[in-house]
Each structure stands twice: as structure tokens, then as C-alpha cells.
Amino acid sequence: MAFVAAIVVIVAAIVGFNVYKNFQNNVSESNSSSRSVKTKVKKNGKVTTTGKNNKVLVVYFSRKKAVYGGDLKRGNTARVADFIQEKTKGDTYEIIPKKAYPNDYDETTKVAQREQDQNARPAIKNALPDVKKYKTIFIGGPIWWGEYPMIVRTFIDNVNLSGKTVIPFTTAAGSGLGNTEETLRKAYPKATIRTGFTTEGNNVKDNPSSVKREVNKWLNGLGY
Ligand SMILES: Cc1cc2nc3c(=O)[nH]c(=O)nc-3n(C[C@H](O)[C@H](O)[C@H](O)COP(=O)(O)O)c2cc1C
């Protein structure tokens, strides 16, 4: 009798343990799946996590001032960054200057020229992103005097992207990608640099849906 009772207790313990394990698995699965669809915005580092494709990070710098004066709701390059994010479902990181650039276009061109002449690395206000989990990093900026604004170079100097795929994108008045691809190749000799995207800033402002189509076409070509 005691022997039968012992067997019953052992069987009950095994069944109970399995039920508990299944319950635990379900809980952790539902936690991770809910994590994978949540949208999270980290205010400090300005990293926006959609969580749907945590292998892509879209980095950008952009002003909200139009060349011929006036405010843009969103800067030209920022809008292209939005299109890339929408299509790749990646995360985004905005480079925010510690010292804001002047509102005035001409003033900004002077500051930018000085920064370039001095090969300056203006400080970034927000925390740099942890890029460990990303495989592909898009890096976007307006073209300032033929190249990335020096504040983008601050980012590049301080974030090691060796072994990653790095892809430039720009908006400009006419300089295209400028020397951004070359800058990335020099900065990250151990990264794979892929074909970038550029469009005129005014196109983004005046005809965003056509730019979005161009961005999607380019991304299709890259396999997205
Ligand atoms: C300081 C400064 C320098 C610029 N230099 C160039 C240039 O060399 N070539 C060019 O095509 N556009 C140049 N532009 C125009 C910007 O690249 C263009 O307006 C861009 O779309 C602005 O992007 P954003 O709205 O994201 O800041 C310059 C603009 C500024 C403010």
C-alpha cells in the first residue's frame, strides 16, 4: 500500500513539474512576443525602438530650417530617415548637437565652414547608441560643404562599426552623396559599405511621396 502511495506521489510530482514548466515557457514566450511588438522611446538617447527589426539602426542628423528661410516641420534628412525606418522597421537614433546650430542659414554655413576648416568634432548632446545588436547601420545627414556635417563625424569617430554593414544617405542642394561613402570607407575599413541614397532637399519638402517611392526602390535593391 505504502509502495502504491509512493508511486502516486512521484507521478503527481512529475506531472506537476511539467505543468509548471509549460506555464513558465508560455509566460516567457508571451513576454518576449509582447516585447517584440512594443514601441519604446528612450528620451535620453533618443533611440526609438520599434522592436520589429532590431538588426537595423537608422542614424541621422538634420536641421529644421529651409535653405531660403522658414521652418520645416521635419528636416529633409529626418524625413528620409523616417522613410527608411518605415520600410526596414529598424530603430532610429537622432544626432542632437550639444550647441544648437543657428536658425539662420547663412550663419549656419559660416559655423559649418569653420568646423570643417578646423576638422572639429562638435559635441553630441544625447547618449550614443549601443550598436552591439545591429547588423546594418544607415547614417544620414545633409551635405554641408561637400560632406557630412562635422557632428556626424563625431558620431563616426566614437561608434565602432567594424564588421557591420554601413549605408550612407543624404539630402543636398546638388552635391548628391558628396564624399560620404569615402568618409565611411576610411573610418570603417572593416565594415561593408553599400550604395547610398541621395535626393535634393527640396524634393523631400515639395514631393515627399515621390521621394518615399525612390527610397523604397533603393531599399528593395538592397534586399529590404
Ligand atoms: C551649412 C550648410 C552647408 C551646405 N552645403 C551644401 C553643399 O555643399 N552642397 C549641397 O548640395 N547642399 C548644401 N547645403 C544644402 C543642404 O544640404 C540641404 O538643404 C539639405 O537638404 C538640408 O537637410 P536638412 O533639412 O536635413 O538639414 C548646405 C546647407 C547648409 C545649412
Side-chain angles (χ1 to χ4, degrees), residues 40 96 146 159 188 212:
K40 196 172 78 186
I96 301 173
V159 181
Y188 302 123
K212 186 175 177 175

Side-chain angles (χ1 to χ4, degrees), residues 197-218:
F197 175 86
T198 184
T199 187
E200 278 187 33
N202 281 341
N203 285 344
V204 187
K205 187 163 67 69
D206 300 336
N207 204 345
S209 50
S210 126
V211 172
K212 186 175 177 175
R213 274 196 301 276
E214 282 174 45
V215 168
N216 285 344
K217 199 170 150 200
W218 163 65

Side-chain angles (χ1 to χ4, degrees), residues 132-143:
K132 241 187 281 142
K133 70 174 183 177
Y134 302 110
K135 275 179 115 172
T136 302
I137 293 92
F138 292 84
I139 302 184
I143 292 291

